[in-house]
Amino acid sequence: MSRVEPDVGAIELPARDAALLGPSDDESVVGRLGWAVGGFAIVIALGVLVGVLSEGVPTWTKGTGFGKVAGSIEFPVYAIIVGLAGNGLLSALHVRERPSGGFRTEFLIKTGLVLLGASINFSVIVRAAGPAVAQAVLLISSVFFATWWIGGKFGLDDRLRALLSTAASICGVSAAIAAAGAVKAKKEHLAYTASLVILFALPSIFLLPWLAGVLGLSPAVTGAWIGGNIDTTAAVTTAGTLAGEGPLQIAAIVKSTQNALLGVAAIALTVYFTFKVERTEGSPRPTARVFWNRFPKFILGFLAASVAATIYAGAVPAEVSKAAIGVANNLRTWFLIFAFVSIGLEFNISSIKQAGWRPVAVFGSAFTVNLVVGLVLALLLWSGFTI
């Protein structure tokens, strides 16, 4: 392994968060916060438009050729299209980066997933824990090391290899952010990786539910394949929503299990780069606090919501419980609509162009490995599972 010199411009926070914490030379903190609020307002406005389209298009096109399929188009499709359209408009006006601090995809999707926990009986999570953990460990290990090896063959920088491998094997942009802090990656590396994750995740949202139908996969296998294969939690939730409520529940459990291993991966990368790549002496060893800081804490909210809803359902009449869960599901839908709009707004093709063809080839190869290995593991571990 060749020695890699530390990057003096290493990142510690996502660009959007850093933008909120410190002003640039020509813009005040107040100005940055103003743009962030404006960006969030854009997300809300476009999300409301998605709600109008989801309800209105089937009615407006009734009796036409398109009307025959309009009723089967779910809100994630409208949300991503509207988000991409907003992205294009803001880019054409040369202002897309300024309100990007308000495109809070990660916050929105994690809140939506916590609300999803309220609609899943905790007994399903308990029964799914065994195959979910086995799938996560086997899939993450195989995809990570395959991507790391392929990246080495293509001559990529070790830090970029770490980001691509972690993003492809665990949970996309969130994993890349955690890995970037662990290995002190360059800002450009994180931008390349985040853009590649979105580039491959967008078609996967529609491809995997369709392939699952063509292959005749059961709801559990479909959900496990979606949850294990698609790299971002937001895209997993979108694809699961398109596949149905049963696949969505299993997809959420599988992806949440993978997310739980993000802390382990971040610590492993910290140890490896500290003692093997940077070769510095006297570096502090990772502590339990470091693991806790890396741990995706929304998973605890997901589990708590499921436990609370399960206890509540057993303590009140069925119609009362159903009404309460209906409210939680409506809130979940709106948070997911806003999250999917943010996905479209955040997509940035320029970062991929700057990276050249090698990272694209590596990530594409990793996507293929993940697709095949994920399907095999889903069939082996989930074929007999009933929801």
Side-chain angles (χ1 to χ4, degrees), residues 292-307:
W292 172 248
N293 289 339
R294 299 294 185 192
F295 185 79
K297 300 174 186 64
F298 80 93
I299 294 170
L300 301 179
F302 174 86
L303 295 173
S306 177
V307 171

Side-chain angles (χ1 to χ4, degrees), residues 169-319:
S169 61
I170 305 179
C171 54
V173 178
S174 297
I177 292 170
V183 306
K184 298 182 179 179
K186 296 179 180 179
K187 296 176 182 179
E188 293 81 3
H189 290 168
L190 181 58
Y192 300 161
T193 304
S195 296
L196 284 171
V197 166
I198 297 175
L199 178 67
F200 280 86
L202 286 176
S204 300
I205 290 171
F206 310 102
L207 177 64
L208 264 67
W210 175 76
L211 283 176
V214 171
L215 296 173
L217 303 181
S218 69
V221 173
T222 298
W225 193 28
I226 290 172
N229 189 81
I230 300 179
D231 291 321
T232 72
T233 304
V236 165
T237 308
T238 311
T241 301
L242 293 176
E245 187 67 19
L248 173 60
Q249 292 186 14
I250 298 302
I253 293 170
V254 169
K255 180 53 67 177
S256 295
T257 304
Q258 287 188 340
N259 289 341
L261 296 176
L262 176 56
V264 178
I267 292 216
L269 286 171
T270 300
V271 171
Y272 179 78
F273 272 78
T274 299
F275 296 108
K276 295 294 184 181
V277 178
E278 296 173 1
R279 301 182 187 279
T280 58
E281 296 183 3
S283 300
R285 294 181 179 276
T287 63
R289 183 174 183 81
V290 173
F291 179 86
W292 172 248
N293 289 339
R294 299 294 185 192
F295 185 79
K297 300 174 186 64
F298 80 93
I299 294 170
L300 301 179
F302 174 86
L303 295 173
S306 177
V307 171
T310 302
I311 294 174
Y312 180 75
V316 301
E319 60 272 15

Side-chain angles (χ1 to χ4, degrees), residues 2-262:
S2 61
R3 179 187 175 95
V4 178
E5 294 299 325
D7 171 44
V8 295
I11 67 164
E12 298 296 336
L13 290 170
R16 82 184 74 166
D17 293 335
L20 294 176
L21 295 178
S24 64
D25 293 337
D26 58 352
E27 191 170 15
S28 67
V29 173
V30 174
R32 287 181 178 273
L33 288 173
W35 276 106
V37 171
F40 194 72
I42 291 172
V43 172
I44 299 299
L46 293 180
V48 171
L49 175 59
V50 169
V52 172
L53 292 174
S54 299
E55 293 291 331
V57 170
T59 301
W60 302 334
T61 59
K62 189 175 182 179
T64 67
F66 181 73
K68 297 178 180 179
V69 298
S72 63
I73 300 177
E74 302 284 349
F75 69 84
V77 178
Y78 291 110
I80 291 175
I81 292 174
V82 168
L84 289 172
N87 186 328
L89 177 60
L90 292 174
S91 298
L93 296 174
H94 304 290
V95 296
R96 191 186 74 87
E97 293 301 322
R98 305 196 78 179
S100 62
F103 304 157
R104 311 300 294 182
T105 301
E106 188 172 351
F107 164 76
L108 293 166
I109 195 64
K110 288 178 178 178
T111 304
L113 284 176
V114 169
L115 291 169
L116 172 62
S119 66
I120 302 177
N121 191 287
F122 191 68
S123 64
V124 176
I125 297 177
V126 172
R127 288 192 298 113
V133 171
Q135 179 181 355
V137 172
L138 293 171
L139 190 59
I140 289 173
S141 301
S142 58
V143 175
F144 182 94
F145 288 111
T147 309
W148 180 267
W149 179 80
I150 295 170
K153 293 297 181 181
F154 277 83
L156 296 186
D157 177 272
D158 280 350
R159 291 185 171 84
L160 180 55
R161 289 170 70 192
L163 265 63
L164 292 175
S165 300
T166 309
S169 61
I170 305 179
C171 54
V173 178
S174 297
I177 292 170
V183 306
K184 298 182 179 179
K186 296 179 180 179
K187 296 176 182 179
E188 293 81 3
H189 290 168
L190 181 58
Y192 300 161
T193 304
S195 296
L196 284 171
V197 166
I198 297 175
L199 178 67
F200 280 86
L202 286 176
S204 300
I205 290 171
F206 310 102
L207 177 64
L208 264 67
W210 175 76
L211 283 176
V214 171
L215 296 173
L217 303 181
S218 69
V221 173
T222 298
W225 193 28
I226 290 172
N229 189 81
I230 300 179
D231 291 321
T232 72
T233 304
V236 165
T237 308
T238 311
T241 301
L242 293 176
E245 187 67 19
L248 173 60
Q249 292 186 14
I250 298 302
I253 293 170
V254 169
K255 180 53 67 177
S256 295
T257 304
Q258 287 188 340
N259 289 341
L261 296 176
L262 176 56

